[in-house]
Amino acid sequence: QVQLVQSGAEVMKPGASVKVSCKASGYTFTDYFIHWVRQAPGQGLEWMGWINPKSGVTNYAQKFQGRVTMTSDTPISTVNMELSRLQSDDTAVYYCAREYGGNSFIWFDPWGQGSLVTVSS
Amino acid sequence: DIQMTQSPSSLSASVGDRVTITCRASQSIRNYLNWYQQKPGKAPKVLIYAASTSQSGVPPRFSGSGSGTEFTLTISSLQPEDFATYYCQQSYSNMYVFGRGTKVEI
């Protein structure tokens, strides 16, 4: 079945960088974009950006430009999201999700299980 | 950027109730609107895409409607497993903004 499996929880110091990975299985990895969405504790969903795993082209939300880097490792069907200059308000669960759709409509399905990133001194 | 506003932010309802959640876009997004359900500690799951098309396997009590700037998600008869948070998301632009969510509580 189509599945996205993410890396484990991380505890980071302020100012550091974190890399979260998302390994895809059950479909042709290069056929679908991967998006990243985060959710701070008790808060809503915040879209961060997407990557085309085939070309490596990315599109980031303005809020994260200059601080986020999404990369694709095609041989191992894995997408990585690195966020730099971490602050306490970056504490959140980070999700990857596959873009799916047809006839110009797009939605996210499935999602990874989420990776908790805690930023604390 | 397109902004998505959901209302209410939370609601209390009973099993069997009809529940309606509203999502408004800051500009027309035609019918490029998705609805997701999220339960505590779990990733979101898509319920509705293209404003009114149900994802495979979603119970028929869930329905979506609307176009342009105003959309609704309706649960015709609330079931115990429907207590969750619901999010709308626009896919008209390539900045896939979500609404702030509606928590459906007992």
Side-chain angles (χ1 to χ4, degrees):
Chain A
Q1 74 282 20
V2 176
Q3 197 172 7
L4 300 176
V5 178
Q6 298 182 222
S7 52
E10 303 268 13
V11 179
M12 312 301 296
K13 299 285 189 190
S17 298
V18 67
K19 181 181 279 191
V20 180
S21 67
C22 172
K23 182 172 176 61
S25 61
Y27 70 97
T28 301
F29 176 66
T30 50
D31 282 355
Y32 299 91
F33 288 17
I34 294 288
H35 294 251
W36 288 90
V37 177
R38 77 177 186 179
Q39 186 170 38
Q43 302 301 308
L45 302 170
E46 183 174 30
W47 178 79
M48 299 179 68
W50 56 252
I51 180 168
N52 178 341
K54 184 173 186 177
S55 65
V57 171
T58 56
N59 180 34
Y60 304 141
Q62 188 170 9
K63 175 177 180 176
F64 300 102
Q65 284 184 7
R67 213 161 62 92
V68 70
T69 304
M70 297 177 189
T71 56
S72 173
D73 190 343
T74 303
I76 59 170
S77 300
T78 297
V79 167
N80 301 299
M81 186 282 299
E82 184 169 14
L83 189 64
S84 63
R85 304 193 300 276
L86 291 168
Q87 298 299 318
S88 58
D89 59 0
D90 291 315
T91 294
V93 175
Y94 289 76
Y95 293 101
C96 61
R98 187 187 71 165
E99 177 180 300
Y100 195 71
N103 296 327
S104 77
F105 293 100
I106 287 168
W107 60 93
F108 297 173
D109 181 54
W111 296 56
Q113 83 276 19
S115 300
L116 175 62
V117 175
T118 303
V119 183
S120 173
S121 56
Chain B
D1 287 358
I2 298 172
Q3 304 300 318
M4 307 300 295
T5 303
Q6 275 184 249
S7 61
S9 57
S10 66
L11 64 90
S12 295
S14 301
V15 173
D17 284 354
R18 182 181 181 88
V19 169
T20 299
I21 299 168
T22 298
C23 179
R24 290 186 173 87
S26 59
Q27 66 181 72
S28 175
I29 57 170
R30 296 168 59 185
N31 60 336
Y32 288 83
L33 192 283
N34 306 321
W35 290 99
Y36 296 86
Q37 177 193 65
Q38 186 182 32
K39 295 183 179 179
K42 300 293 187 182
K45 291 185 177 180
V46 63
L47 296 175
I48 304 282
Y49 60 89
S52 61
T53 303
S54 293
Q55 173 72 326
S56 175
V58 172
R61 62 182 179 273
F62 291 94
S63 64
S65 65
S67 67
T69 62
E70 189 153 337
F71 303 86
T72 58
L73 173 70
T74 300
I75 310 171
S76 60
S77 178
L78 199 64
Q79 298 302 300
E81 61 268 30
D82 301 337
F83 291 95
T85 301
Y86 295 85
Y87 294 92
C88 62
Q89 178 200 34
Q90 68 86 18
S91 61
Y92 180 79
S93 80
N94 65 354
M95 299 287 171
Y96 298 89
V97 176
F98 292 89
R100 299 185 73 171
T102 296
K103 186 174 184 179
V104 176
E105 300 176 295
I106 300 173

